[in-house]
Amino acid sequence: MNKFESSIIETIHERKSVRSYSDTLVDPKVLQEVLSFATDNSVGPFGNKVSFQLVDAEGFDTKSMKNLGTYGAIKGARSYLVGSVSPADKAMEDFGFCMEHAMLKATSLGLGTCWLGGFLNRSTFAELCNIGSKEIIPAVTPLGFAAKRTTLRDKLIRKAVDGNNRRPFSTLFFEDDFTPLTYIETDSAHVLLESVRRAPSASNKQPWRIVISSEAMHLYLEEDAAYNHRFDPVLMQNIDMGIAMSHLALAAKAQSLQGKWTQLKVVSMHEKYQYIASWVRST
Ligand SMILES: Cc1cc2nc3c(=O)[nH]c(=O)nc-3n(C[C@H](O)[C@H](O)[C@H](O)COP(=O)(O)O)c2cc1C
């Protein structure tokens, strides 16, 4: 296990959205390291392939920067990691999975990141990256050093989405037939769930619900349909599912728990939740 893999739980807990960036330029080698990692981990658990590119806004004038559409939320970022995918079944989950892997790699290298699925001009990024007409850019992230002082806008966004807080453990995670689960710090399965609870999600809505059994963890989406479909065919909350899958898979590996994500034919159903996939233990 390499350093990134063994310290992933700390990295997950450290990560938070950075919206104010310092002027200090990031060493191009570090940016390349993030890109190579992303490219090496670009197939999601459902088999969709995500393509990654870097956009260097270093030479951009203010107008070009504004054209990226990220200007309102993000201050000072010079580099962006852009991911694209072809629309297909579970492409959003796979995109969330691969992009979050790359963003955690960036966090481990000391860089700030922020998922941007709403605040961006997709067509400008598509032009800059020469994205094929069939592909879509579900989200991008700035890559840079966090500024010492956050902007007022940054503080307002964080407050509006209550970005520092998460829902109680027992409202997200369940056992048996959706009986709320009480967090036990020494239980390795609960450590995995806590890694999901710390995940970023669109507008911090935290739509992940997980039911655990002795051999599997079943992931469901509690969808806010109007919100999820606002940028159709980009589905924000299905991206959230992929992010949760990434956190769980990485945290499991760090704890030497073997398993993989798969879709089961028979799982418990709940009227409010859509079944996504199960992480099934292999030992
Ligand atoms: C799919 C997705 C899309 C997001 N889009 C935006 C966005 O457009 N603008 C923004 O400022 N934050 C965006 N965020 C960041 C969330 O608001 C943030 O992750 C959440 O509030 C939790 O805060 P944290 O990341 O600091 O833990 C997005 C997050 C996700 C997962």
Side-chain angles (χ1 to χ4, degrees):
M1 208 181 307
N2 61 36
K3 173 93 177 24
F4 168 72
E5 291 168 342
S6 60
S7 50
I8 196 67
I9 294 178
E10 292 79 35
T11 305
I12 283 172
H13 283 260
E14 265 166 33
R15 186 220 55 84
K16 60 177 183 148
S17 295
V18 173
R19 297 183 178 87
S20 316
Y21 288 85
S22 97
D23 291 341
T24 312
L25 288 178
V26 181
D27 183 341
K29 281 195 207 125
V30 176
L31 295 175
Q32 280 305 323
E33 194 175 341
V34 176
L35 182 62
S36 322
F37 179 90
T39 310
D40 290 346
N41 293 279
S42 59
V43 178
F46 298 107
N48 293 290
K49 166 128 182 77
V50 180
S51 301
F52 289 100
Q53 294 186 52
L54 288 172
V55 165
D56 180 5
E58 169 61 2
F60 285 17
D61 56 20
T62 312
K63 186 163 171 279
S64 317
M65 287 291 276
K66 280 192 174 158
N67 280 345
L68 295 177
T70 60
Y71 212 69
I74 302 296
K75 170 103 192 307
R78 293 278 159 187
S79 304
Y80 285 87
L81 181 69
V82 180
S84 59
V85 69
S86 296
D89 184 36
K90 296 281 185 289
M92 292 299 118
E93 285 81 353
D94 279 339
F95 178 83
F97 186 91
C98 297
M99 185 82 171
E100 181 66 2
H101 264 58
M103 288 170 73
L104 289 169
K105 176 68 182 177
T107 307
S108 76
L109 292 170
L111 300 180
T113 61
C114 182
W115 273 91
L116 294 173
F119 281 105
L120 81 158
N121 188 337
R122 288 190 171 76
S123 52
T124 307
F125 276 102
E127 250 173 62
L128 284 167
C129 295
N130 259 323
I131 302 286
S133 59
K134 291 213 179 77
E135 278 190 279
I136 47 175
I137 297 177
V140 303
T141 177
L143 295 174
F145 297 114
K148 290 218 166 63
R149 296 183 60 178
T150 53
T151 60
L152 178 63
R153 181 73 190 247
D154 185 337
K155 290 192 182 87
L156 289 177
I157 296 178
R158 182 161 281 282
K159 191 154 181 248
V161 294
D162 202 10
N164 293 336
N165 287 329
R166 292 296 184 269
R167 291 173 191 232
F169 189 90
S170 60
T171 62
L172 300 171
F173 308 126
F174 312 92
E175 56 191 337
D176 305 323
D177 266 342
F178 299 93
T179 309
L181 198 61
T182 306
Y183 180 57
I184 302 168
E185 209 177 321
T186 49
D187 187 321
S188 58
H190 293 204
V191 173
L192 302 193
L193 295 175
E194 188 57 20
S195 299
V196 171
R197 188 170 162 265
R198 294 315 313 167
S201 59
S203 298
N204 201 23
K205 282 176 169 282
Q206 306 159 60
W208 352 268
R209 305 288 175 265
I210 294 178
V211 177
I212 68 167
S213 64
S214 54
E215 71 291 341
M217 297 195 180
H218 311 285
L219 173 68
Y220 298 78
L221 162 63
E222 181 167 4
E223 188 189 37
D224 174 340
Y227 179 83
N228 195 20
H229 288 267
R230 188 167 157 213
F231 300 104
D232 233 334
V234 174
L235 302 174
M236 291 294 165
Q237 298 195 306
N238 292 78
I239 298 177
D240 291 342
M241 294 297 107
I243 296 173
M245 291 168 74
S246 151
H247 280 218
L248 203 147
L250 285 166
K253 193 161 188 194
Q255 301 228 326
S256 302
L257 296 171
Q258 309 287 328
K260 67 171 188 158
W261 281 106
T262 180
Q263 270 189 309
L264 299 180
K265 294 222 163 57
V266 184
V267 284
S268 298
M269 285 308 193
H270 187 288
E271 54 182 11
K272 276 165 59 191
Y273 308 151
Q274 287 171 32
Y275 173 63
I276 302 292
S278 303
W279 188 83
V280 182
R281 280 187 78 153
S282 51
T283 47

